[in-house]
Amino acid sequence: MTDRHPGFSTLAVHAGAQPDPTTGARATPIYQTTSFVFNDADHAASLFGLQAFGNIYTRIGNPTNAVLEERVAALEGGTAALAVASGHAAQVVVFQQLLMPGDEIIAARKLYGGSINQFTHAFKSFGWNVAWADSDDIASFERAVTPHTKAIFIESIANPSGSITDIEAIAAVARKAGVPLIVDNTLATPYLIRPIDHGADIVVHSLTKFLGGHGNSLGGIIVDAGTFDWSKDNKYPMLSEPRPEYHGIKLQETFGNFAFAIACRVLGLRDLGPALSPFNAFMILTGIETLPLRMQKHCENAKAVAEFLAGHPKVAAVNYAGLASDRYNNLARKYAPKGAGAVFTFSLKDGYDAGVNLVSNLKLFSHLANVGDTRSLVIHPASTTHSQLDDAAKVKSGAAPDVVRLSIGIEDKEDLIADLEQALTA
Amino acid sequence: MNHDAYDDNYIRAILNSVKSIAMVGASPVNVRPSYFAFKYLAQRGYDMIPVNPGHVGKSLLGKPFVAQLADIDRPIDMIDIFRNSSHIMPVVDEALKLSPLPKVIWMQLGARDDAAAEKAEAAGVKVVMNRCPKIEYGRLSSEISWMGVNSRTLSSKRAPIPTQGMRLSLNRMSVGGGETAASDRAAKNKSEP
Ligand SMILES: Cc1ncc(COP(=O)(O)O)c(C=O)c1O
């Protein structure tokens, strides 16, 4: 029998999970335990010394979380993954493996506002610097490369603007600079875009959004593509040099093409501590089983709503890459042929005040700071998620003051359109 | 034989059939990858023989070191070479002088010598390059999934309860890459200029 390659929907249901060896339970059990017994002293020492695979303590790993990790790794086409407490935790853990004080990253300006804050303020206190570049101008990434550059960070589909990033072009810049490309694939999910196929070395997610998909659990994940050679120079000592934490083990030499995921676990998660609750892992896993079905419906609804808004007399502009007239439509056709996602922005002819009125008149859309829920959501980014930016930076990140962001759910699209219609005319 | 990507069934058949493994370049230092792999495979029930001329007179987990393959007193099913690519050929030459011949020559993660592989294959010996038997065993038995690693296997069957020293079942139905081949493809694209 030769190997068969299962499809995406099969992996979404099965990857990483098998009937529980002890009880035969078919759904993945919630291993709600802090710790795991050792067989004997040698087993304990082997686990602590990274000589054996196994469970020690839930801050470092947990069997429920492991199923989630393997599943997302399989969906993204990576070698391994590490689940953590939130999308933001995933970013901190990734950069802690790559950066020393004085090092730099290059990040796209079009990012989730929380990530812009994290990079600008929190990272400054670690001595990590950010150079900003413009995803619509690939040369701006090249110009930003310095001898201190250690990584490039982009979003596949940017929040809030819904614009599509030319991942392959930026991957080429990263390759030339000899640094890994990190892609936040939260808004696309691997169902729409698989960044590793386009040259990403590391993929991160806020599982809180479409992957979990039901607005009930925070989580984050780091996927190792297994593509980057960490030992080709001495830029990444966490992976290439003997680790004093583990009596001199070199992680890439020992773990090969999943060494980055191991570093994130045994250096990052172990020492920084943002572990994911097994209960949240279970909720997110259950969500992932229906990811393909939900994403199809999210995208179908989003396109219908965007088309409705684009034809409405009170609407000034709709930024949805799935519309043929959108400036990102060509990139959407290339990178996300199944759909351009379900988060996008639009602006009203009567400006900021009309946007505020619209939000308060909506009856079905929930006004809150999240995306990727089964429910449709609305927010005004300039006064909330992106409020800490100055006006110029707001415009550059796709959150101009007159812009309203929608995250389209999986309700009936006719009801969503009717709600927007009544709110626009109220 | 394509040495860029191996079918799971090729690796599984090797790990299921070999019983004795000589590890060339085994280190007694307990943070070296060879030590990890030696210990892991010994615990899975393989008859392990450490080969390293620098440590003759000592033993590794109770197994005495030998200086060279020719010094081993019993037939060896597999030779696992823990040396870098430039030191592979002499070991393969040594291995091909053994009688009976080994069934498998395995070169560790990071090690690859296509000329040596061709020579071994011409003599009827199976070859694996740039892989770790510990990682492959852990992957195919899904034990490595505890570490969030993509095992690239699926199963609706209950796995045996893992206990120390027991050989985990390698016989999960393999459904191959689950498109994990994407990472191999990406790695290849990267190495092109
Ligand atoms: C694109 C993107 N990345 C990262 C995050 C941060 O994720 P979390 O809230 O799970 O920390 C968010 C949250 O809104 C996001 O939209």
Side-chain angles (χ1 to χ4, degrees):
Chain A
M1 189 192 95
T2 56
D3 295 347
R4 240 191 86 74
H5 292 258
F8 190 92
S9 298
T10 303
L11 291 176
V13 172
H14 287 282
Q18 58 178 330
D20 184 68
T22 309
T23 62
R26 180 64 268 223
T28 296
I30 303 172
Y31 289 94
Q32 191 69 28
T33 180
T34 55
S35 357
F36 303 84
V37 293
F38 305 118
N39 300 336
D40 53 38
D42 182 58
H43 181 225
S46 297
L47 286 171
F48 271 99
L50 304 182
Q51 293 169 4
F53 311 119
N55 298 298
I56 300 174
Y57 185 66
T58 287
R59 170 153 47 70
I60 305 167
N62 174 281
T64 309
N65 299 19
V67 175
L68 172 63
E69 288 159 353
E70 184 172 358
R71 185 159 308 167
V72 177
L75 294 175
E76 287 286 6
T79 53
L82 175 70
V84 293
S86 68
H88 264 17
Q91 293 167 196
V92 176
V93 168
V94 161
F95 286 116
Q96 195 236 350
Q97 307 322 306
L98 303 178
L99 303 180
M100 293 291 166
D103 285 343
E104 282 172 20
I105 60 169
I106 302 172
R109 263 194 206 94
K110 277 196 193 128
L111 286 191
Y112 164 56
S115 299
I116 299 177
N117 286 338
Q118 186 188 49
F119 295 176
T120 310
H121 303 294
F123 283 12
K124 191 177 283 170
S125 68
F126 301 157
W128 303 341
N129 303 314
V130 193
W132 299 101
D134 179 356
S135 312
D136 299 330
D137 171 15
I138 302 301
S140 69
F141 283 84
E142 250 167 293
R143 285 195 301 275
V145 174
T146 75
H148 299 291
T149 305
K150 291 291 177 72
I152 297 181
F153 186 94
I154 58 175
E155 289 177 5
S156 52
I157 300 182
N159 180 5
S161 65
S163 64
I164 312 280
T165 306
D166 191 347
I167 301 170
E168 288 176 10
I170 298 171
V173 176
R175 208 173 311 146
K176 199 168 148 208
V179 302
L181 174 66
I182 304 162
V183 178
D184 180 341
N185 199 31
T186 299
L187 261 50
T189 81
Y191 180 73
L192 298 178
I193 300 178
R194 300 210 321 165
I196 293 171
D197 291 346
H198 302 292
D201 299 294
I202 297 164
V203 174
V204 294
H205 282 277
S206 168
L207 298 170
T208 317
K209 320 299 178 191
F210 293 99
L211 280 167
H214 295 71
N216 58 28
S217 305
L218 260 92
I221 202 158
I222 300 156
V223 182
D224 185 350
T227 47
F228 197 82
D229 181 2
W230 305 103
S231 306
K232 67 177 185 301
D233 46 34
N234 55 6
K235 269 192 193 163
Y236 304 100
M238 298 286 264
L239 288 122
S240 65
E241 298 308 307
R243 293 312 311 167
E245 300 92 330
Y246 292 98
H247 308 293
I249 290 176
K250 297 180 190 170
L251 290 178
Q252 183 174 20
E253 178 188 67
T254 307
F255 295 104
N257 68 359
F258 56 93
F260 186 76
I262 295 286
C264 287
R265 182 187 302 280
V266 306
L267 301 174
L269 184 57
R270 187 196 71 161
D271 292 352
L272 299 176
L276 177 68
S277 144
F279 182 77
N280 279 20
F282 172 83
M283 296 300 284
I284 294 163
L285 262 178
T286 305
I288 289 176
E289 292 181 7
T290 57
L291 177 71
L293 297 172
R294 287 186 289 105
M295 290 314 287
Q296 286 163 22
K297 182 79 169 167
H298 278 296
C299 290
E300 177 195 322
N301 283 359
K303 186 146 192 273
V305 169
E307 280 165 355
F308 160 77
L309 289 171
H312 199 281
K314 293 202 169 172
V315 172
V318 178
N319 307 302
Y320 182 60
L323 295 177
S325 57
D326 193 82
R327 68 178 287 201
Y328 297 101
N329 190 249
N330 280 338
L331 287 172
R333 283 170 196 275
K334 171 172 180 180
Y335 287 104
K338 291 199 277 253
V343 175
F344 64 93
T345 59
F346 68 102
S347 53
L348 294 171
K349 285 181 181 155
D350 293 336
Y352 176 79
D353 293 335
V356 171
N357 278 338
L358 172 88
V359 170
S360 54
N361 289 336
L362 285 165
K363 293 175 178 159
L364 205 51
F365 282 76
S366 304
H367 180 201
L368 56 75
N370 192 26
V371 294
D373 194 324
T374 50
R375 289 153 277 262
S376 290
L377 315 174
V378 61
I379 201 166
H380 178 237
S383 61
T384 55
T385 55
H386 289 66
S387 60
Q388 296 193 24
L389 308 184
D390 61 36
D391 280 355
K394 278 177 185 157
V395 172
K396 282 187 178 144
S397 71
D402 61 341
V403 152
V404 174
R405 180 186 77 189
L406 299 179
S407 172
I408 302 299
I410 58 173
E411 302 97 332
D412 287 306
K413 56 179 177 276
E414 296 77 11
D415 294 329
L416 300 177
I417 289 171
D419 192 30
L420 285 162
E421 173 79 78
Q422 67 78 24
L424 283 165
T425 48
Chain B
M1 180 80 205
N2 170 17
H3 290 287
D4 293 327
Y6 299 104
D7 214 59
D8 284 350
N9 288 318
Y10 178 71
I11 301 287
R12 182 182 288 112
I14 289 172
L15 292 175
N16 261 333
S17 62
V18 302
K19 293 190 174 64
S20 53
I21 304 177
M23 186 181 282
V24 177
S27 168
V29 178
N30 72 357
V31 297
R32 299 301 301 153
S34 60
Y35 179 94
F36 284 27
F38 190 96
K39 181 172 177 183
Y40 181 89
L41 295 171
Q43 286 177 340
R44 296 295 169 288
Y46 294 101
D47 172 17
M48 301 298 295
I49 304 130
V51 183
N52 192 330
H55 296 288
V56 175
K58 292 185 235 162
S59 58
L60 182 48
L61 302 169
K63 310 280 185 147
F65 274 97
V66 298
Q68 51 179 2
L69 291 171
D71 296 348
I72 300 172
D73 59 1
R74 51 195 187 277
I76 315 156
D77 297 328
M78 174 164 130
I79 296 170
D80 183 12
I81 310 178
F82 260 91
R83 304 294 310 272
N84 60 36
S85 304
S86 59
H87 293 98
I88 298 292
M89 189 61 99
V91 181
V92 170
D93 285 335
E94 223 189 303
L96 295 181
K97 289 198 194 100
L98 296 175
S99 174
L101 280 177
K103 299 187 186 102
V104 181
I105 294 180
W106 186 303
M107 303 173 206
Q108 201 50 37
L109 205 57
R112 176 163 181 160
D113 180 337
D114 285 280
E118 230 170 89
K119 207 188 242 186
E121 283 170 339
V125 178
K126 285 186 185 165
V127 174
V128 176
M129 296 194 284
N130 190 22
R131 293 286 187 283
C132 171
K134 175 189 175 190
I135 290 172
E136 293 304 303
Y137 196 106
R139 187 173 72 75
L140 293 171
S141 65
S142 87
E143 188 190 12
I144 204 170
S145 302
W146 298 131
M147 308 300 285
V149 171
N150 185 1
S151 69
R152 291 184 273 136
T153 63
L154 303 183
S155 180
S156 61
K157 295 285 181 288
R158 190 162 163 173
I161 300 166
T163 54
Q164 192 186 22
M166 147 190 179
R167 278 177 82 152
L168 287 178
S169 169
L170 290 165
N171 297 325
R172 292 158 53 78
M173 184 181 64
S174 180
V175 275
E179 302 194 9
T180 303
S183 60
D184 296 336
R185 269 202 310 284
K188 266 179 58 206
N189 292 343
K190 294 226 147 175
S191 55
E192 284 160 14

